[in-house]
Amino acid sequence: MSDDDDFMQESDPEQYDFEYEDDDDQDTADVGVENKYYNAKQMKVDNPSEAIEEFLGLPALEEEKGDWGFKGLKQAIKLEFKLGQYDKAVEHYRELLTYVKSAVTRNYSEKSINNMLDFIEKGADADEAYRCMEKFYSLTLESFQSTNNERLWLKTNIKLARLWLDRKDYAQLVKKLRELHKACQLEDGSDDPNKGTYSLEIYALEIQMYAETKNNKRLKVLYQRALKVRSAVPHPKILGTIRECGGKMHMNEENWKEAQTDFFESFRNYDEAGSNQRLQVLKYLVLATMLMKSDINPFDSQETKPYRNEPRIAAMTDLVDAYQRDDIHQYEKILQLNKDVLEDPFIAENIDEVTRNIRMKAVLNLIAPYTRFALDFIAKQLKISKDEVQDIVGFLIIDQKIKGKMDQENGIVEIDTNPDVNRTESMSRWASATRALWSTVLNESDGFKVEDPSVALGNGPGLASHIGPEGPRGPGGKAISGMGKFRPKKGAFR
């Protein structure tokens, strides 16, 4: 048989008719499965239990494992997890993983599994749910270990590490982070530039761990290392996390300026990511602004201005306004009326420093006209205890912002009023400045320059003829008025 005959045989009309009929049957079956899938989706809200049964019935309608069975299992697992049926969710998730090797494409399966894990991560709010999540991650790692899908392996392990961070299981977390760092490094131990995004995400988890455990020394090393990663294109939420922890680190070191910069960058990244954490970090930014005693309102910038009237941060907005106006009574009132502000441990830890600063300024303003005052008077004016006033005044005396003595037994403070003290100090500073000027002129400059060559050579009447006992003289020997007498020291012009 020739090639032409083979060609004609393959083009037999009967053969085409037979294949067409098969496709039609398959399409009809697919339409039935598809209708069942969408009918089940309509029941998810009103009757989720019945919807689960419908979704679980889809795999049986396919002769071979396919897309509709995969989709049905996904929907059933999400509903079971939402209803708290964790054991069933794990069982059906194990069945779902059998589809990823052959029934669906690699990219589709990877995306679906990631979305599934993200869904249960957001929905977990109890210990049993966390245990279910851990089983999900373990099953995923077992399933994809044999497929050599490194990308999904890294993503799943990072999610597992995040779970242990949320549960504060630091022992497990340290082991997992060590494993992840090794997977993202080259043979020489340096970070693999091709895995920069994953490396940065791992750094963020480790930085959070050290921030929670107050290990500032290790935190600082990792923070600097994370900022040097240039090969990554990370999610802005990851950068927001790193900058937030960096800001807290700087606050612990009382480096208010750097803390303000980090909190602003963190807010900007969280805002870009659409994360609600941006509001919490905005509170930290306000706190850092007050601690650095800045007169610039943090809500004046283009990025923060839209949140000026946000109800959830209204208390901090009013607080910074009262602080910058030195309105101690309004400041104290805001703190009294908004106890929820202090529910954040970080704010509660640092707000005392802000309160002390504004109280010190209030004390200095109150005592300005007095040379002697009672601690009870200050306590009554500021509406705080006498002991608190004593601590503030004592600090101001040590810091030399108040020059006086405190009688703790009688609660009296006397300010030094000797008028000669300030005058003497001013004269001393003036004399030191003058001495420094003369030293510069006589030792480092060219000294006196004489334009008259006869004076320079010693052949004329000399400098004394120009500067007489009545002072310097101008052309014709006339004395220059207002210059006073000049009496050079002996040997001054040798």
Side-chain angles (χ1 to χ4, degrees):
M1 184 180 295
S2 65
D3 293 339
D4 290 338
D5 292 334
D6 284 337
F7 177 79
M8 293 301 295
Q9 186 176 12
E10 291 173 1
S11 303
D12 190 341
E14 291 183 0
Q15 197 171 13
Y16 273 103
D17 291 341
F18 179 75
E19 292 176 357
Y20 181 83
E21 289 173 0
D22 267 355
D23 288 344
D24 188 45
D25 291 341
Q26 184 67 38
D27 289 343
T28 303
D30 287 345
V31 169
V33 176
E34 184 177 358
N35 288 337
K36 188 177 180 69
Y37 173 79
Y38 286 110
N39 287 336
K41 285 193 76 173
Q42 291 178 353
M43 294 187 289
K44 283 172 60 176
V45 177
D46 299 329
N47 195 347
S49 297
E50 190 174 339
I52 290 174
E53 292 181 8
E54 289 292 312
F55 284 130
L56 293 177
L58 290 172
L61 297 178
E62 293 183 313
E63 294 182 4
E64 296 181 355
K65 292 180 178 179
D67 286 345
W68 293 112
F70 185 75
K71 291 179 179 179
L73 285 171
K74 281 197 307 180
Q75 295 293 338
I77 292 166
K78 289 179 180 179
L79 285 174
E80 288 170 340
F81 189 86
K82 193 174 182 180
L83 295 174
Q85 301 173 8
Y86 300 120
D87 291 337
K88 290 183 178 180
V90 171
E91 178 187 347
H92 293 132
Y93 184 69
R94 185 181 282 108
E95 181 182 352
L96 178 74
L97 291 174
T98 62
Y99 280 71
V100 301
K101 295 181 180 179
S102 57
V104 292
T105 64
R106 174 170 172 166
N107 288 338
Y108 177 56
S109 65
E110 182 180 330
K111 182 178 179 181
S112 299
I113 295 299
N114 268 321
N115 290 340
M116 176 71 69
L117 297 179
D118 287 340
F119 174 83
I120 65 170
E121 184 180 359
K122 293 175 182 176
D125 55 0
D127 290 340
E128 194 174 353
Y130 282 123
R131 285 192 291 272
C132 178
M133 284 175 60
E134 195 167 349
K135 290 179 181 178
F136 269 60
Y137 294 146
S138 298
L139 288 171
T140 306
L141 292 172
E142 289 174 10
S143 176
F144 284 89
Q145 193 170 13
S146 58
T147 62
N148 198 26
N149 191 331
E150 187 179 28
R151 183 168 57 183
L152 187 60
W153 182 89
L154 282 169
K155 287 181 179 179
T156 305
N157 269 306
I158 288 172
K159 292 179 187 295
L160 182 57
R162 191 179 297 117
L163 170 64
W164 284 330
L165 177 66
D166 292 339
R167 298 177 66 178
K168 302 188 185 303
D169 189 347
Y170 299 125
Q172 291 277 17
L173 178 58
V174 168
K175 293 179 183 177
K176 183 58 66 177
L177 289 173
R178 192 179 296 119
E179 182 183 1
L180 285 167
H181 275 305
K182 188 175 181 181
C184 293
Q185 290 176 345
L186 300 172
E187 294 181 359
D188 60 358
S190 60
D191 290 337
D192 187 348
N194 295 323
K195 298 175 183 175
T197 301
Y198 297 115
S199 293
L200 206 57
E201 200 164 349
I202 297 164
Y203 280 134
L205 289 171
E206 196 166 5
I207 285 171
Q208 283 177 277
M209 179 185 70
Y210 287 125
E212 290 179 6
T213 56
K214 306 294 184 182
N215 189 341
N216 261 25
K217 184 177 180 182
R218 187 64 184 149
L219 170 60
K220 195 167 188 176
V221 173
L222 283 173
Y223 171 75
Q224 296 295 340
R225 191 181 299 172
L227 293 183
K228 292 178 182 177
V229 176
R230 293 288 182 267
S231 59
V233 186
H235 193 279
K237 188 175 180 180
I238 302 300
L239 294 176
T241 300
I242 293 172
R243 288 290 193 171
E244 179 186 351
C245 292
K248 290 180 177 179
M249 175 191 71
H250 290 308
M251 289 282 277
N252 289 333
E253 297 175 346
E254 298 187 1
N255 189 348
W256 316 127
K257 177 62 179 175
E258 294 296 328
Q260 187 203 37
T261 301
D262 271 345
F263 285 140
F264 179 77
E265 289 299 321
S266 176
F267 165 78
R268 198 171 56 81
N269 281 289
Y270 279 137
D271 193 34
E272 183 180 348
S275 172
N276 288 331
Q277 186 63 15
R278 61 189 167 194
L279 296 179
Q280 198 63 31
V281 171
L282 190 53
K283 295 179 183 179
Y284 300 158
L285 174 62
V286 172
L287 184 65
T289 303
M290 290 189 289
L291 283 169
M292 66 180 293
K293 303 175 183 177
S294 173
D295 294 330
I296 300 174
N297 193 311
F299 292 98
D300 287 343
S301 70
Q302 184 178 357
E303 292 84 356
T304 59
K305 191 175 290 185
Y307 298 93
R308 181 188 292 272
N309 299 319
E310 169 64 43
R312 286 171 288 182
I313 59 170
M316 294 300 288
T317 307
D318 296 338
L319 204 62
V320 71
D321 181 61
Y323 181 85
Q324 292 182 337
R325 289 187 290 105
D326 294 336
D327 190 341
I328 180 66
H329 297 302
Q330 182 65 17
Y331 175 90
E332 298 279 4
K333 182 180 178 181
I334 293 167
L335 284 181
Q336 289 294 327
L337 295 176
N338 298 274
K339 297 290 187 181
D340 57 313
V341 171
L342 302 179
E343 290 178 0
D344 186 303
F346 182 73
I347 293 178
E349 182 182 342
N350 289 278
I351 198 69
D352 288 343
E353 182 74 17
V354 180
T355 303
R356 188 175 69 168
N357 287 344
I358 193 170
R359 285 176 176 175
M360 284 193 298
K361 288 195 286 185
V363 169
L364 291 173
N365 290 335
L366 274 174
I367 68 173
Y370 302 104
T371 59
R372 188 172 184 268
F373 63 89
L375 297 179
D376 289 332
F377 166 73
I378 301 298
K380 184 178 180 181
Q381 294 295 318
L382 299 186
K383 300 178 182 178
I384 58 178
S385 69
K386 181 180 175 180
D387 290 338
E388 288 177 312
V389 174
Q390 183 174 301
D391 290 340
I392 293 171
V393 173
F395 181 83
L396 290 170
I397 291 174
I398 293 172
D399 204 32
Q400 295 188 350
K401 292 182 179 177
I402 292 179
K403 295 182 180 179
K405 296 178 182 180
M406 179 167 55
D407 183 352
Q408 292 181 327
E409 184 176 352
N410 298 314
I412 301 296
V413 178
E414 292 189 2
I415 307 297
D416 292 337
T417 57
N418 188 350
D420 292 332
V421 172
N422 292 335
R423 185 181 300 112
T424 302
E425 290 180 355
S426 299
M427 291 293 293
S428 178
R429 288 194 297 271
W430 179 80
S432 297
T434 306
R435 191 179 303 112
L437 175 62
W438 273 105
S439 177
T440 302
V441 171
L442 297 177
N443 297 333
E444 299 180 13
S445 68
D446 293 334
F448 291 101
K449 293 183 178 180
V450 182
E451 298 295 336
D452 189 345
S454 63
V455 173
L457 297 174
N459 295 326
L463 188 61
S465 65
H466 295 276
I467 305 178
E470 301 301 326
R473 296 180 177 276
K478 293 182 179 180
I480 300 176
S481 61
M483 296 298 290
K485 297 182 179 181
F486 178 82
R487 293 182 176 85
K489 288 184 179 180
K490 186 177 181 181
F493 300 105
R494 288 180 181 176

